[in-house]
């Protein structure tokens, strides 16, 4: 049922010094291609979602990532969680689709982090740094590969940390991770470098290492821990243990004038729909990008990793698509270990809790969560 999204092939676009306009984007493994950060319907456009590459941007620490191995080049997104560590998706550095970590010592294999804290050519805020080490969560075995005894198509544990040999540019923000589970109904802010488009036409714009977009959505429901499986709900989603995987949908009014809300219609998870110029979807190349909460300071609460369709969308990635990722509160021990304690972990600020509760009150009907 779920056709999950993987990395986006960036062709040979950065082969020499990242002359960085990734074109001819192609999905890995022939999977269903769906876009990330998509805009709403006109007059909202992909161009309106582009974030300026300046030090004052709230997203100056959101980076693009170039992964190369076996003669292929890929684009993913990530977030700085210390001066030398980038949070991204496990599948971005998985070379076989079965949890095989990229070997940085192999000929032609490397991972490069592209900073966009400046738009001035030659500025340190536009540095491109080759990783010195890469880590993948030990339980990640590839999309669809569940532990023995757990049925279904597991997407849990899709998280990676990239280590750099030098400090990030001073202009690049470092993001802290919230230790609390935000729950269904929480509004999130998304950012990434993937393909884009709009809620009517789906994807129309390719990924680029120097172009990041942002938007918003709401956590609709969660799946539990696939290593602590206790059963599935009526829809086949994993129950048991901590909430590890979040789901959200791309809500909006389609070309026929119908208001599309797939999570509510198909799963009974009826949360708030955001304004047309805020509501966003994610897609190829956005994998590993952040989901934030907060205003004055952005706090990391999730890692965006997959998307799927089959809910009556007019076009792939259009209104009605669903997507999701990894709830970071379930993975704090891994993040602390992979960064040697450098990641900043904070408890839930009171203002964030109030925001979550306010949004939850706007949702209709029931919300299904794993617990």
């Amino acid at each position: 049922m779920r056709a999950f999204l993987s990395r986006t092939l960036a062709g040979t676009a950065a082969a020499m010094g990242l002359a960085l306009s990734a074109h001819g984007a192609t999905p890995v493994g022939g999977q269903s291609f769906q876009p990330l950060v998509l805009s709403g319907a006109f007059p909202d456009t992909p161009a309106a979602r582009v974030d300026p590459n300046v030090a004052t941007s709230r997203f100056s620490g959101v980076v693009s990532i170039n992964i190369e191995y076996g003669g292929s080049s890929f684009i993913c997104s990530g977030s700085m969680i210390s001066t030398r560590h980038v949070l991204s998706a496990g599948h971005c550095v998985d070379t076989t689709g079965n949890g095989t970590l990229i070997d940085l010592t192999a000929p032609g294999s490397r991972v490069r982090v592209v900073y966009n804290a400046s738009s001035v050519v030659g500025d340190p805020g536009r540095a491109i740094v080759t990783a010195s080490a890469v880590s993948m969560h030990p339980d990640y075995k590839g999309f669809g590969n569940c532990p023995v005894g757990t049925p279904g198509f597991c997407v849990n544990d899709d998280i990676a940390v990239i280590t750099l040999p030098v400090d990030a540019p001073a202009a690049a923000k470092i993001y802290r991770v919230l230790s609390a589970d935000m729950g269904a109904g929480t509004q999130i802010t998304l950012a990434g470098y993937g393909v884009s488009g709009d809620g009517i036409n789906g994807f129309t714009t390719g990924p680029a290492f120097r172009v990041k977009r942002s938007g918003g959505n709401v956590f609709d429901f969660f799946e539990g821990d696939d290593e602590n499986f206790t059963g599935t709900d009526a829809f086949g989603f994993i129950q048991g243990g901590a909430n590890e995987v979040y789901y959200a949908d791309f809500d909006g009014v389609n070309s026929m004038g119908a208001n599309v809300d797939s999570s509510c219609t198909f799963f009974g998870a009826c949360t708030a729909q955001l304004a047309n110029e805020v509501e966003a979807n994610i897609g190829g190349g956005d994998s590993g990008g952040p989901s934030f909460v907060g205003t004055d300071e952005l706090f990391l609460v999730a890692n965006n990793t997959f998307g799927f369709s089959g809910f009556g969308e007019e076009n792939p990635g259009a209104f009605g698509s669903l997507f999701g990722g990894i709830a970071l509160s379930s993975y704090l021990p891994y993040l602390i270990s992979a960064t040697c304690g450098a990641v900043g972990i904070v408890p839930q600020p009171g203002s964030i809790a109030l925001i979550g509760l306010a949004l939850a009150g706007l949702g209709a009907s029931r919300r299904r969560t794993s617990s």
Side-chain angles (χ1 to χ4, degrees), residues 35 38 46 195-198 201-206:
L38 269 73
V195 297
S196 190
D198 61 62
N201 300 296
F203 68 89
T204 58
T205 303

Side-chain angles (χ1 to χ4, degrees), residues 143-154:
F143 278 161
N145 298 327
C146 296
V148 175
T150 300
F153 191 105
C154 296

Side-chain angles (χ1 to χ4, degrees), residues 323-337:
F323 66 94
I326 303 303
L328 297 179
S329 62
S330 301
Y331 294 91
L332 301 183
Y334 165 72
L335 292 177
I336 292 168
S337 174

Side-chain angles (χ1 to χ4, degrees), residues 184-339:
T186 300
Q187 183 172 343
I188 53 174
T189 299
L190 313 165
Y193 292 82
V195 297
S196 190
D198 61 62
I200 304 298
N201 300 296
F203 68 89
T204 58
T205 303
F209 291 96
R210 294 292 189 192
V211 180
K212 65 178 176 289
R213 295 180 174 85
S214 63
N217 213 291
V218 174
F219 286 154
D220 287 337
F221 58 91
F222 294 84
E223 279 195 279
D225 181 354
D226 56 336
E227 275 77 40
N228 287 286
F229 170 77
T230 60
T232 57
D233 65 10
F235 306 106
F237 292 106
I238 293 170
Q239 304 292 289
N243 288 336
E244 289 192 344
V245 180
Y246 86 84
Y247 289 82
D249 61 5
F250 189 25
D251 298 329
V253 179
N254 66 18
S255 64
M256 303 298 291
N259 189 54
V260 181
D261 186 343
S262 293
S263 289
C264 186
T265 300
F266 294 96
F267 304 115
C270 304
T271 56
Q273 178 174 321
L274 305 183
N276 181 67
E277 68 274 13
V278 176
E279 185 93 10
N281 188 16
I282 61 171
D286 287 324
S287 287
S291 281
F292 294 115
V293 296
T295 51
D296 294 337
E297 179 179 355
L298 292 177
F299 299 95
L300 275 164
V301 293
N303 199 24
N304 310 321
T305 63
F306 64 86
F308 60 103
S309 59
F311 297 92
E313 303 93 325
E314 294 179 283
N315 295 292
F319 291 136
S321 302
L322 274 78
F323 66 94
I326 303 303
L328 297 179
S329 62
S330 301
Y331 294 91
L332 301 183
Y334 165 72
L335 292 177
I336 292 168
S337 174
T339 63

